[in-house]
Amino acid sequence: MPLKTVICIGMAGSGKTTFMQRLNSKLHAEKMPPYVVQLDPAVLKVPYGANIDIRDAVNYKKVMQNYNLGPNGAIVTSLNLFSTKIDQVIRLVEQKKDKFEHCIIDTPGQIECFVWSASGSIITESFASTFPTVIAYIVDTPRNSSPTTFMSNMLYACSILYKTKLPMIVVFNKTDVCKADFAREWMTDFEAFQAALRADQESNGETSMGSGYMGSLVNSMSLMLEEFYSQLDMVGVSSFTGEGFDEFLQAVDNKVDEYETYYKAERERILKQKQEKEAENKKKSLTHLMKDLGLQEGETGAAKTSRNDDDSADVLSDLEPDEDDGIVLRDEEEAPEREYTFAGDERLGGEVNAQSAPALQERYERALEQVAKSASSRTAENIARYIQG
């Protein structure tokens, strides 16, 4: 079976690390220990054992000191440094894929540091291109009992879904404190959410809703998100009691099947489209290069030399003597046209010509002809290699 990768993403305080600890314990209890990757460089203690820990590779405090950064900047920089070695991480996980069924990844609590940074995209893409990957978006259920807060969280989940283009499970955590039934109802019944929004507005007064503006905005967004909800699996869990984790693991299996059926094919299509675009750009560059050199597509320097239908030439050595080529051979007894001047050389009288140094003059002429022929030959060889490659 392929290694199922679960990337846990959530707001600070949503219980993400506790969720990781409970999920780790659940899989160990079922004799399916996961491969654990910990990507939060600023955390002091984690309640689970990690196979790969970013803190072993990057010293968060040293990053702050060396680069004069604050907490969030240091997290982003630490992730950037770690992402330069992501190929080694992927190889380590690949070596263990026969021994593990799940790979679970914990991310920083500062969600924007991971989701919207280049390093977060690199890490996510690296895992998603190698293993079936699912995003688990952790939500703090008690804090989302308000319709406006709930809608804000759903918009964030929507942006992550379209940013990563991976299957997503919305995990409503802390159900031991507050049940997630209201969230399930709001996601499946538009009218129920509208009623809850009106009740919240009436109980808190219009000032809390921006004199009706916020209510209108949330109404519009909830209608728009109906299509988004259809792409999600929603699960309620309690990291404290362990309730709901069987349902979560079943949702992961469903999303892995969905990844293999839809997302993998879509990713392959995007990669193929990218390769075709790169090939097209390469062809355009080659066409421009050959146009600049006065060559037709498919010709090499040798073919250009033998073509007589164009009087243009790149260098003198490309032209061969012909009665119609416009070249007049100089008489051997005629004085040479080239003179080479060396300023300040009194011994040579300031210039080198047939009268002052005939042997040196001839050597310069031969050397110039050899350089021209060598340059023409190298140009032809480079174009031929470029066409073949």
Side-chain angles (χ1 to χ4, degrees):
M1 292 182 63
L3 184 69
K4 307 167 189 174
T5 302
V6 180
I7 302 178
C8 298
I9 299 175
M11 299 285 189
S14 62
K16 187 169 65 277
T17 300
T18 311
F19 173 83
M20 282 280 298
Q21 185 270 335
R22 177 59 68 175
L23 179 60
N24 184 42
S25 300
K26 172 70 174 177
L27 292 173
H28 272 89
E30 296 187 359
K31 307 300 181 182
M32 296 186 301
Y35 195 87
V36 182
V37 180
Q38 201 285 117
L39 295 181
D40 190 349
V43 68
L44 296 178
K45 295 181 181 179
V46 290
Y48 53 82
N51 299 90
I52 296 177
D53 196 326
I54 189 175
R55 297 175 299 171
D56 297 334
V58 181
N59 189 318
Y60 173 72
K61 291 184 178 180
K62 288 290 184 182
V63 170
M64 292 182 68
Q65 294 173 2
N66 294 340
Y67 297 97
N68 297 320
L69 297 172
N72 287 352
I75 290 175
V76 173
T77 304
S78 299
L79 285 169
N80 290 341
L81 294 171
F82 184 79
S83 65
T84 60
K85 304 295 183 182
I86 191 62
D87 57 328
Q88 299 178 18
V89 175
I90 296 298
R91 283 200 299 269
L92 288 173
V93 179
E94 278 189 313
Q95 292 172 3
K96 304 293 184 180
K97 64 182 180 180
D98 295 332
K99 299 180 180 180
F100 298 92
E101 290 188 19
H102 298 84
C103 175
I104 57 178
I105 302 174
D106 194 8
T107 59
Q110 287 74 7
I111 187 171
E112 69 280 357
C113 294
F114 182 82
V115 175
W116 304 113
S117 67
S119 55
S121 298
I122 291 171
I123 293 170
T124 303
E125 289 289 329
S126 299
F127 276 97
S129 61
T130 311
F131 311 106
T133 304
V134 178
I135 301 294
Y137 182 67
I138 315 300
V139 178
D140 188 341
T141 307
R143 293 184 181 178
N144 283 268
S145 56
S146 167
T148 52
T149 308
F150 172 82
M151 182 56 57
S152 299
N153 237 312
M154 291 300 100
L155 284 173
Y156 217 115
C158 180
S159 65
I160 293 174
L161 175 67
Y162 290 107
K163 176 73 165 58
T164 60
K165 296 181 176 62
L166 291 170
M168 176 181 285
I169 304 172
V170 178
V171 182
F172 284 87
N173 196 15
K174 306 181 183 179
T175 54
D176 55 297
V177 178
C178 177
K179 294 294 183 182
D181 296 338
F182 71 92
R184 192 183 300 275
E185 184 180 14
W186 288 352
M187 293 175 67
T188 56
D189 189 344
F190 174 75
E191 294 181 357
F193 180 79
Q194 296 292 311
L197 187 62
R198 286 192 298 269
D200 183 69
Q201 187 173 2
E202 292 172 359
S203 62
N204 295 316
E206 288 189 355
T207 55
S208 67
M209 298 296 291
S211 300
Y213 169 75
M214 182 62 74
S216 175
L217 178 63
V218 173
N219 272 327
S220 301
M221 290 190 297
S222 62
L223 186 61
M224 179 269 294
L225 287 179
E226 279 191 319
E227 178 67 22
F228 167 66
Y229 294 148
S230 65
Q231 306 297 321
L232 297 178
D233 279 5
M234 178 267 181
V235 178
V237 303
S238 170
S239 298
F240 181 71
T241 64
E243 179 186 1
F245 276 84
D246 288 329
E247 185 181 355
F248 173 75
L249 291 175
Q250 182 60 48
V252 170
D253 292 338
N254 295 338
K255 287 298 180 182
V256 167
D257 294 338
E258 185 178 321
Y259 171 91
E260 296 288 351
T261 305
Y262 300 106
Y263 286 84
K264 186 177 180 180
E266 178 66 13
R267 293 178 70 83
E268 290 176 351
R269 185 190 66 80
I270 293 173
L271 288 175
K272 183 179 178 181
Q273 185 177 5
K274 183 178 179 181
Q275 291 173 355
E276 291 176 352
K277 187 175 181 180
E278 290 177 353
E280 183 179 353
N281 291 337
K282 182 179 178 182
K283 185 177 180 181
K284 287 181 179 179
S285 300
L286 177 60
T287 303
H288 290 315
L289 175 62
M290 297 179 71
K291 183 178 180 181
D292 292 341
L293 294 174
L295 298 175
Q296 293 181 357
E297 187 173 358
E299 285 189 323
T300 62
K304 173 68 176 70
T305 303
S306 61
R307 183 160 52 89
N308 295 323
D309 59 350
D310 188 0
D311 292 340
S312 62
D314 297 309
V315 293
L316 291 177
S317 60
D318 284 340
L319 293 173
E320 295 182 357
D322 190 84
E323 59 181 3
D324 297 324
D325 59 13
I327 295 180
V328 179
L329 297 178
R330 189 173 62 242
D331 193 340
E332 294 181 359
E333 297 180 358
E334 185 181 350
E337 297 178 1
R338 300 190 188 93
E339 291 186 353
Y340 304 91
T341 301
F342 296 88
D345 194 341
E346 298 178 356
R347 181 175 58 84
L348 297 176
E351 67 180 23
V352 178
N353 52 39
Q355 286 74 30
S356 61
L360 186 59
Q361 171 76 13
E362 292 178 3
R363 291 210 309 272
Y364 278 128
E365 291 181 4
R366 288 198 301 270
L368 181 63
E369 291 177 359
Q370 291 176 358
V371 169
K373 291 181 179 180
S374 177
S376 175
S377 177
R378 285 197 301 271
T379 301
E381 291 176 359
N382 291 337
I383 293 175
R385 284 198 299 269
Y386 193 87
I387 293 173
Q388 294 174 358

